[in-house]
Amino acid sequence: MDDQATDEEILHQFHHSAKPKQAFRLLVIKYQERLYWHIRRMVVSHDDADDVLQEVFIRAWKALPNFRQESGLYTWLYRIATNESLTHLKKQKRHFTIGLDEDENGVAEQLAGDPFFDGSHAEALLHAAIQTLPAKQRVVFNMKYFDELKYEEIAQVTGTSVGALKASYFHAVKKIEAFLKSRLNQ
Amino acid sequence: MKDNAPSNEERDLKGEAPLLHGLKNAATGFRVPANYFENFADQLEPKLSADTKVIQLFRWKVAAVAASVLVLLSVGIWMLTDGTVESTTINSAQLWESEEMLFATSDVLFDEYEFALADTDDEATIDYLMGEDVAIELILEEFQP
């Protein structure tokens, strides 16, 4: 990882060299993996995550000339990825969101048929439980639980106050724990 | 750099949600196709160029179509009216009907929301409002004891 260019170097090369695409390629290589997993945990299927990730970088390519560095490059990309994921979920709301009172068969079936999922039953249940959360709460939960971001960092991405994020996260934790308890103890 | 001692947040998670805490460091089970990340930048690159060209072409086409429509409309109106255009008036009855329809629509919508919320508890309502993009600060203000 140490041989990767810094954000400052990437931005300098993007703005001042004759080959901005080369600089952008460095940015893609540096952040593709972290953004992919952030998106994948939101949208579940690999194909959807791939589509959304491409859209994120296409948007970033168009917007980078106007990027004013008021936030870090990663925070900015994370924000685009979050918004794109939410937009994608909104389009597919009826397919991917299940109510707490419904069973998790939809998500379980989706994961069972996904050639790019080989997790345990408990892991599949965890993903199914996460899918029961409202999309924005899912963003907060994933950033805290999987990415272990600080609330202050999540606040920068989501534009929500730290207090509200804490409340949202613990509300999500309680719901997921209840979901897991009811399914694993059956 | 992380130190090995559990943080307050981890202790809270262990206490509040032991099952979730147990899965914390497990793999997610998600995989990607072979060499996906190695090839991603190469596959993306032509799309960056294509996207720019499509937008430029699209803007040029939109401008050309808009200009053609304007010319056709102008010629059409001139031919139909023999060079004169009469102004049209909307009578007040028509306006009143439109307004009534607007209120009727909002009543129906309001009824539907009331119906939808009638049999739900607070938690379901909070989920619904979050799903509808209502700011969480407003929700907390309303529902916190």
Side-chain angles (χ1 to χ4, degrees):
Chain A
M1 286 285 169
D2 290 331
D3 57 347
Q4 278 187 337
T6 64
D7 290 352
E8 289 72 25
E9 287 166 345
I10 292 173
L11 288 170
H12 187 269
Q13 196 179 329
F14 182 83
H15 289 298
H16 299 102
S17 83
K19 293 177 177 171
K21 259 192 189 173
Q22 277 186 3
F24 193 75
R25 186 184 172 86
L26 294 176
L27 178 147
V28 171
I29 289 167
K30 185 172 181 181
Y31 290 115
Q32 59 181 1
E33 213 161 325
R34 276 189 275 176
L35 293 175
Y36 172 85
W37 291 118
H38 174 58
I39 295 165
R40 178 78 185 267
R41 285 191 288 264
M42 288 291 292
V43 302
V44 178
S45 94
H46 165 73
D47 289 343
D48 289 343
D50 182 43
D51 286 347
V52 174
L53 185 63
Q54 289 189 33
E55 193 55 40
V56 167
F57 282 119
I58 289 169
R59 281 188 185 276
W61 167 250
K62 286 188 215 163
L64 198 56
N66 302 318
F67 175 58
R68 283 178 291 180
Q69 299 186 50
E70 283 163 359
S71 59
L73 191 54
Y74 181 54
T75 307
W76 182 68
L77 288 168
Y78 223 109
R79 199 180 302 143
I80 298 174
T82 302
N83 288 339
E84 283 300 315
S85 302
L86 290 174
T87 304
H88 178 86
L89 288 171
K90 221 168 209 177
K91 281 184 202 160
Q92 303 200 330
K93 200 172 182 180
R94 286 181 189 158
H95 300 290
F96 286 114
T97 307
I98 59 175
L100 270 179
D101 296 332
E102 296 170 43
D103 66 28
E104 70 280 11
N105 285 342
V107 180
E109 272 173 28
Q110 189 190 343
L111 287 173
D114 189 338
F116 301 113
F117 180 80
D118 60 4
S120 66
H121 176 58
E123 285 157 6
L125 278 179
L126 174 58
H127 292 302
I130 293 169
Q131 296 305 305
T132 64
L133 302 174
K136 284 192 173 176
Q137 196 171 34
R138 206 181 311 170
V139 171
V140 176
F141 179 81
N142 286 341
M143 284 180 169
K144 192 70 202 159
Y145 182 79
F146 291 109
D147 299 336
E148 298 185 330
L149 295 184
K150 292 175 182 161
Y151 285 114
E152 289 75 13
E153 292 171 312
I154 303 174
Q156 280 191 344
V157 174
T158 59
T160 309
S161 70
V162 168
L165 288 173
K166 283 183 183 174
S168 182
Y169 177 65
F170 278 100
H171 191 50
V173 163
K174 273 164 58 184
K175 279 196 283 187
I176 292 176
E177 183 72 5
F179 185 100
L180 291 174
K181 206 176 271 178
S182 67
R183 267 67 173 186
L184 288 173
N185 294 340
Q186 270 174 0
Chain B
M1 197 147 156
K2 284 181 187 175
D3 81 47
N4 292 329
S7 65
N8 287 340
E9 282 169 6
E10 271 184 57
R11 276 195 292 270
D12 287 349
L13 185 66
K14 198 173 182 178
E16 291 281 328
L19 291 172
L20 195 52
H21 182 264
L23 287 168
K24 183 88 164 74
N25 294 317
T28 60
F30 290 140
R31 291 188 299 111
V32 294
N35 301 321
Y36 173 69
F37 291 118
E38 287 78 0
N39 299 330
F40 180 80
D42 290 333
Q43 286 172 355
L44 177 72
E45 199 165 319
K47 288 178 184 165
L48 299 178
S49 314
D51 195 58
T52 312
K53 277 178 194 164
V54 166
I55 285 167
Q56 283 168 352
L57 194 62
F58 180 73
R59 281 185 187 156
W60 187 87
K61 277 188 177 171
V62 166
V65 169
S68 311
V69 168
L70 272 176
V71 170
L72 286 172
L73 270 176
S74 310
V75 171
I77 289 171
W78 184 80
M79 286 174 74
L80 280 172
T81 59
D82 197 20
T84 57
V85 180
E86 285 179 22
S87 63
T88 53
T89 53
I90 303 169
N91 66 43
S92 58
Q94 282 174 312
L95 270 179
W96 184 246
E97 276 172 22
S98 313
E99 209 170 322
E100 274 187 325
M101 282 187 70
L102 199 68
F103 281 119
T105 311
S106 68
D107 284 346
V108 170
L109 279 175
F110 196 68
D111 283 349
E112 279 183 8
Y113 274 105
E114 278 194 325
F115 176 73
L117 292 172
D119 293 326
T120 53
D121 58 14
D122 281 359
E123 195 159 297
T125 310
I126 290 169
D127 285 351
Y128 171 79
L129 292 172
M130 289 182 78
E132 292 298 310
D133 288 341
V134 176
I136 189 159
E137 287 86 352
L138 288 175
I139 300 172
L140 288 173
E141 209 171 278
E142 189 63 35
F143 286 93
Q144 265 178 350

